Every structure is written in C-alpha cells, then in structure tokens.
Amino acid sequence: HLANNNKGKMAASLDQVIEEKTDTVALMSHSPFETDTELNKSMQTIDKGPFHVSQREAKTHQENLQHLCRICGGSFKTDPYKRSHPVHGPIDDEMQVLLRKKEKKAISWPDLLAKIFKIDVKGDIDTIHPTKFCHQCWTVVQKKLSNSPYEMFFPRRSPVEWQPHSSSCDVCGTSPCGVKRKKQVLNPQLSKKLRMVAGRVRKIRQIKNPKQVNQKSLMKKIASCKKIHLSTKNLAVDYPSDFVKSISCQICEHILADPVETTCKHLFCRTCILKCLKVMGSYCPACHYPCFSTDLVSPVKSFLSIMNSLSVICPVKDCQEEVCLGKYCHHLSRHKEIK
C-alpha cells in the first residue's frame, strides 16, 4: 500500500511539473509578440507627434509663400489693390502690346523674367518658391522694356534667393511688409550718377537767359561730321519736311548714321551724341533730360529697315548714282579702291 501511494504521489507531482512547464512555454511564446506590438504602438505615438508638427509647419510655410513676391520678396498685403501676376503663365495683353512695339518676342513670363532679372523660374518648387510676383516688379519689367530709368522702382539690388523651410525661417517669421532684407551698402557709382543728374538739373534751372550760348551751332562744331555724314540734300526723293526731320540727327542735322535712341526717345548719330555727352555734360541735347552713354540703345528694326531702304545720290564728283542708304558704304569703298 505504501509503495502504491508513493507511486501515485510521484505521478501527480510529475504531471504538475509538466503542466507548469507547458504554461511557461506558452507564456514565453505569447509574450514577445505582445511586447513587440506594445513597443510599436509606443513608437508610433512618439513619431506621430513631430511628423504632424513638421507637416503643419510646411503647410503654413507654403501658405505664407502665396502672399509674397517671387522676385523682390515683398508682401501683396502692402498693395491696396492686391495686384499680383503668375510667375508661370502667358504674358498679359498690356505687356504683349509693349513687346510688339519694341519688336521683341516673349511668349511666357519665365522667358521674360529670365531676360530682365536674370533668374530661372522654370525649375521652381512650390514648397520653396512663391508662385506669383508683385505689381511693382511688373512695373520694373515695363520700364525696362520701354527703356526708361527703373532703379527707383525696384526695391532690391537683386532678386531674393529662396531657401527651404527651417527652424530659423525668414518667411514664417516675416513681417506683414514681406521678407526682411539685409542692410545693403550704397553703390558709389549709382549715388555718383544721381548727384550728377541733380547737379545738371540745378544748372539747367539756373540758366534763364537763352542768348547766353548758341547751343545749336556749338554742338555742330563739337560733332564736326560734315565730311563723314551725308546731308539731307543728298536724298533722291523730295520727302516731307517732318519725315526728313525724323530721319536726321538732332545735333548735326545730317542723315542718321549708326542711329541711337535715348531714354527720352530722341535720335542721334552715335558719334555725335557721344562727343556731345563728353563735352557738354550728361543730358539730352534736344530736351535736357539726364542722359548717359550707357542709356543709349539701337532703335527698333522696322525703323532701321526704312532707313536702309532710303535712296540717296552719291556726293562723289562725276558719279551722281542713286544708291540705297544701306549699300552706300559699300558703294563709297569702290570709289576709294579706284582712287
């Protein structure tokens, strides 16, 4: 009996041990998965917070960009009419009319902005760059195309360089007026130019007596181009006097040779105006508007083609041949070869 009892106790204890072992194995098998899921959940909650914050910041950054100018960084809120123009898109009708007048070609804003401001907006990213520019920069483009002074209209020396969003972002921490710009050193050349213009205007205002200097004859003496340029008397056709004035230089009164146009829309021979600017000062001989040699541009192509098509009589003795003005230099070189 004792032996049987001992055997029964031993079997029961063995069964207990096996059950305990199976329970621990089951617990071990389940616990890693449970701990993994708990860790994942906790990691998700940790990561989810900063991700949402950065996404929100990026969104507000992009919204702030929509209120700023792509070129100068100014805010559209400062303009009472809230005018803005798309950076990517076709040119408006008013600008197209101006381009047609100047015989220049540009279909879209990216091409025109690249010519005027020397910036490439084709590779812009919406999260970094604004998609519009202000009306003030539009005026700069208009002034530049119409060859009028534009330094006073553009609020910056160069366009803004846009950076991605960061902790020290200028766009998000900006004032209502636009992106804060760094203090810029005055350009000595520009300030000298402005002083010269102001001084010239002051002198012109002081001159009250028109008989002081006979400027017309003086300018003709300065130009001294009688032997170089053709007289209007050499025109083969008797054109109207107004047309003759329009194709003649306002300094030497000869037919325009290598014509140039000033910002005030007056035409001169290149050599004549350069000599006068050097001797008389930096102003237009026709209207006394401030003028510099750097402001001189070539007239539109259609005007030059009309000039070249004019027929003139060769002034060389015993020639009297009618030649197109565009071929006159070649014709004159033949006379020199014969000599």
Side-chain angles (χ1 to χ4, degrees):
H1 281 293
L2 283 164
N4 287 332
N5 283 333
N6 289 332
K7 278 179 186 178
K9 282 176 185 177
M10 284 288 285
S13 62
L14 279 165
D15 288 337
Q16 258 185 343
V17 168
I18 289 158
E19 278 177 17
E20 280 174 11
K21 279 184 178 180
T22 51
D23 288 340
T24 52
V25 167
L27 279 165
M28 286 292 283
S29 63
H30 286 298
S31 63
F33 292 110
E34 285 172 8
T35 50
D36 283 348
T37 50
E38 281 170 13
L39 278 165
N40 287 334
K41 280 178 184 176
S42 62
M43 285 293 283
Q44 278 177 1
T45 51
I46 290 160
D47 292 340
K48 210 171 182 182
F51 176 74
H52 275 296
V53 169
S54 63
Q55 201 175 20
R56 206 185 304 118
E57 280 181 7
K59 199 176 179 182
T60 51
H61 176 78
Q62 202 168 346
E63 283 173 7
N64 290 335
L65 285 173
Q66 299 307 313
H67 300 292
L68 299 175
C69 172
R70 165 67 179 87
I71 299 157
C72 68
S75 177
F76 300 137
K77 292 173 184 177
T78 54
D79 185 6
Y81 301 104
K82 304 287 187 293
R83 293 167 294 183
S84 62
H85 306 271
V87 172
H88 304 280
I91 294 162
D92 55 87
D93 297 334
E94 196 176 338
M95 200 63 74
Q96 278 179 351
V97 170
L98 187 62
L99 285 165
R100 274 198 294 273
K101 277 184 183 178
K102 290 289 167 185
E103 295 180 345
K104 291 178 181 177
K105 288 182 180 179
I107 302 161
S108 61
W109 277 116
D111 298 330
L112 197 59
L113 294 173
K115 282 180 185 176
I116 304 295
F117 297 107
K118 304 287 184 280
I119 51 166
D120 184 22
V121 295
K122 288 178 181 177
D124 280 9
I125 304 161
D126 292 349
T127 52
I128 300 170
H129 304 93
T131 53
K132 294 176 183 178
F133 64 99
C134 65
H135 191 71
Q136 198 170 9
C137 292
W138 183 91
T139 344
V140 173
V141 176
Q142 191 188 36
K143 297 287 175 188
K144 178 72 176 170
L145 288 171
S146 56
N147 297 327
S148 58
Y150 65 95
E151 289 94 344
M152 54 204 261
F153 296 99
F154 193 50
R156 284 178 173 269
R157 298 267 181 233
S158 60
V160 179
E161 290 182 9
W162 299 94
Q163 301 295 333
H165 177 66
S166 61
S167 56
S168 59
C169 182
D170 289 332
V171 175
C172 297
T174 189
S175 63
C177 300
V179 176
K180 191 179 179 182
R181 53 182 189 263
K182 292 173 185 176
K183 194 179 179 182
Q184 294 169 355
V185 183
L186 283 169
N187 187 356
Q189 287 183 343
L190 186 67
S191 56
K192 187 183 175 182
K193 187 177 176 179
L194 291 167
R195 279 203 305 274
M196 283 172 72
V197 170
R200 187 65 248 165
V201 170
R202 213 177 293 115
K203 281 179 184 177
I204 291 159
R205 283 175 183 170
Q206 283 170 5
I207 295 166
K208 291 178 182 179
N209 189 4
K211 292 179 182 179
Q212 282 180 358
V213 182
N214 189 356
Q215 283 195 336
K216 204 82 174 174
S217 59
L218 181 63
M219 284 190 292
K220 279 183 183 180
K221 282 177 185 178
I222 291 162
S224 63
C225 58
K226 198 175 181 180
K227 293 177 181 178
I228 309 163
H229 299 157
L230 276 170
S231 172
T232 50
K233 290 173 184 177
N234 292 105
L235 289 165
V237 184
D238 188 17
Y239 293 109
S241 58
D242 290 335
F243 178 75
V244 174
K245 279 181 184 177
S246 67
I247 58 159
S248 58
C249 175
Q250 295 196 33
I251 294 170
C252 64
E253 294 180 347
H254 295 144
I255 298 167
L256 286 162
D258 189 14
V260 287
E261 188 182 348
T262 59
T263 49
C264 48
K265 308 294 177 189
H266 292 115
L267 291 165
F268 303 95
C269 303
R270 191 181 288 274
T271 51
C272 297
I273 185 72
L274 288 172
K275 283 177 183 177
C276 280
L277 289 174
K278 198 175 181 180
V279 177
M280 302 287 286
S282 301
Y283 65 93
C284 175
C287 65
H288 296 283
Y289 188 82
C291 175
F292 298 87
S293 56
T294 50
D295 300 331
L296 302 173
V297 290
S298 185
V300 290
K301 289 175 185 177
S302 55
F303 178 79
L304 293 172
S305 63
I306 291 164
M307 285 287 300
N308 292 328
S309 64
L310 294 171
S311 54
V312 291
I313 299 162
C314 180
V316 177
K317 209 173 182 180
D318 303 327
C319 180
Q320 299 297 309
E321 191 181 332
E322 280 191 23
V323 193
C324 285
L325 190 64
K327 296 176 182 178
Y328 174 71
C329 290
H330 178 68
H331 176 79
L332 199 65
S333 62
R334 276 164 54 196
H335 283 297
K336 286 176 183 177
E337 282 171 12
I338 294 160
K339 281 183 180 180

